[in-house]
Amino acid sequence: MSESPLIIDCDPGVDDGVALLLAFASPELEILGVTTVAGNVSAALTARNARVIRQISRRTDIPVLAGCQRPFVRPPVEAGHFHGASGLGDLPLPLPPVPDDGETRHAVDFLVGALMDRPAGTVDIAVTGPFTNVAVAMIREPAIIPRIRRIVVMGGARREGGNITASAEYNIFADPHAAQVVFGSGAAIVVHGLDATHQVRATEARIAAIEALDTAPARACATLLRFSRRIEAEQVRGLDAPLHDPCPIAWLLAPQLFESVPCEIQVETASPLTLGHTAVEFRLADPASATIHWVTAADSQGVFDLLTRRLAS
Ligand code: RIB
Ligand code: CA
């Protein structure tokens, strides 16, 4: 059984889709639900896309709850240029019918309810999109904060610089005010910024190994990764696409594949030039009391071996 029940908050999104395929194929994760948020594409599309991946993974036992439709303060900034108009790259259309099973509860209500109904300190939250849902839940019911076991996020950048501006990583840039609320909450947070995720890249050999598994989730994963490689080559003139969002899921499954250091994080929420910048401070008076840890190293092959093993199961 899993160490902790888990809620995945995401904005599928091509790499969110790979993260969900990994999580849905990992029986040791007790996934209470997937909550979705406006980010890479609209809130309606991220919810639809999470249900598409759920259908492909045959995990209709897991509820998908749609969430916030825009960031706290700033206007929405989508990333369709990296994820395609559908948000799932060029996954074959028409996408499978995705019954929403009357899943009309708002993601924020689901997050608050799950945390208040479960024993304190038992529920993990993985966040792979803008932090809007989690921040709104914390403001709506501050009592959830000490009840969260860990929040494992994809977001931020320190050594690597930004990927949406020179200074900022997309998830933080998209809703910097929400990120500041979450990083300032006092919850235990493990942060996979670009410093970590840029170490984990989808080479053609790694994609071919996944494609050779020839299962519906593996074929979908290979299609999503190939789309990412093509976009990376076009937009960034890189070749091997970084595997951002699967990293927090891989950390929950195999933390030994990563290294992290204690830190404090502040988010730029005012400067038009550096909005969304994460100021990651390692120089702490008392590192042992830090609640935030910044991932500094990732075992790239280990993450792909884990993804391939899970999709083969
Ligand atoms: O910067 C990478 C992050 O932004 C990923 O979560 C990707 O899905 C986009 O949302
Ligand atoms: Ca994402």
Side-chain angles (χ1 to χ4, degrees), residues 11 16 40 128-129 245:
D11 64 334
D16 305 75
N40 289 318
T128 65
D245 293 341

Side-chain angles (χ1 to χ4, degrees), residues 11-16 39-40 79 82-83 127-130 154-156 163-164 169-172 194 197 244-245:
D11 64 334
V14 170
D15 56 332
D16 305 75
N40 289 318
F82 270 98
H83 299 273
V127 184
T128 65
M154 191 281 135
N163 64 354
I164 186 80
E169 177 278 327
Y170 174 81
N171 286 338
I172 311 300
L194 298 180
T197 65
H244 302 297
D245 293 341

Side-chain angles (χ1 to χ4, degrees), residues 14 115 122 148 203 230 286:
V14 170
L115 286 161
T122 60
I148 298 167
T203 64
R230 186 161 62 253
D286 178 14

Side-chain angles (χ1 to χ4, degrees), residues 5-307:
L6 170 66
I7 297 170
I8 302 172
D9 189 74
C10 55
D11 64 334
V14 170
D15 56 332
D16 305 75
V18 177
L20 289 175
L21 288 167
L22 172 59
F24 290 158
S26 299
E28 65 265 52
L29 294 178
E30 182 193 354
I31 304 172
L32 302 178
V34 172
T35 52
T36 59
V37 68
N40 289 318
V41 290
S42 70
L45 280 181
T46 57
R48 190 279 311 269
N49 292 342
R51 293 187 174 113
V52 166
I53 301 296
R54 174 178 68 177
Q55 190 97 353
I56 291 169
S57 302
R58 301 161 68 91
R59 289 302 308 270
T60 49
D61 55 302
I62 296 172
V64 171
L65 299 311
C68 295
Q69 303 195 30
R70 53 150 299 153
F72 259 28
V73 174
R74 57 164 307 149
V77 175
E78 296 187 358
H81 50 304
F82 270 98
H83 299 273
S86 75
L88 287 178
D90 51 11
L91 211 59
L93 292 173
L95 297 171
V98 281
D100 67 6
D101 298 339
E103 291 166 322
T104 55
R105 195 175 184 196
H106 193 282
V108 170
D109 293 336
F110 179 82
L111 280 160
V112 171
L115 286 161
M116 296 307 288
D117 294 348
R118 310 278 301 197
T122 60
V123 179
D124 284 327
I125 305 173
V127 184
T128 65
F131 295 7
T132 317
N133 283 341
V134 176
V136 171
M138 287 179 168
I139 290 171
R140 164 145 183 204
E141 181 46 85
I144 67 169
I145 295 171
R147 301 181 67 85
I148 298 167
R149 183 183 183 208
R150 301 167 299 189
I151 305 175
V152 192
V153 307
M154 191 281 135
R158 182 176 187 271
R159 191 183 65 238
E160 285 293 300
N163 64 354
I164 186 80
T165 69
S167 311
E169 177 278 327
Y170 174 81
N171 286 338
I172 311 300
F173 179 77
D175 197 341
H177 303 88
Q180 183 68 345
V181 166
V182 174
F183 285 137
S185 68
I189 307 175
V190 176
V191 187
H192 294 254
L194 298 180
D195 297 9
T197 65
H198 278 181
Q199 299 179 39
V200 185
R201 291 184 180 262
T203 64
E204 181 50 42
R206 289 168 172 170
I207 297 173
I210 290 169
E211 193 168 45
L213 299 172
D214 201 23
T215 64
R219 286 192 297 270
C221 185
T223 300
L224 293 169
L225 291 176
R226 283 228 163 75
F227 180 86
S228 288
R229 271 179 66 83
R230 186 161 62 253
I231 293 300
E232 189 78 10
E234 291 167 5
Q235 305 264 352
V236 187
R237 291 177 300 287
L239 255 188
D240 300 333
L243 205 66
H244 302 297
D245 293 341
C247 284
I249 304 300
W251 184 89
L252 285 165
L253 293 168
Q256 69 277 15
L257 296 177
F258 302 89
E259 294 173 14
S260 64
V261 296
C263 71
E264 290 173 355
I265 298 182
Q266 295 288 332
V267 179
E268 177 57 64
T269 57
S271 159
L273 176 63
T274 60
L275 186 72
H277 171 71
T278 42
V280 183
E281 179 60 81
F282 294 151
R283 295 163 298 183
L284 308 179
D286 178 14
S289 67
T291 59
I292 303 177
H293 284 74
W294 182 259
V295 178
T296 53
D299 173 351
S300 183
Q301 189 55 51
V303 170
F304 270 91
D305 290 347
L306 173 67
L307 175 60

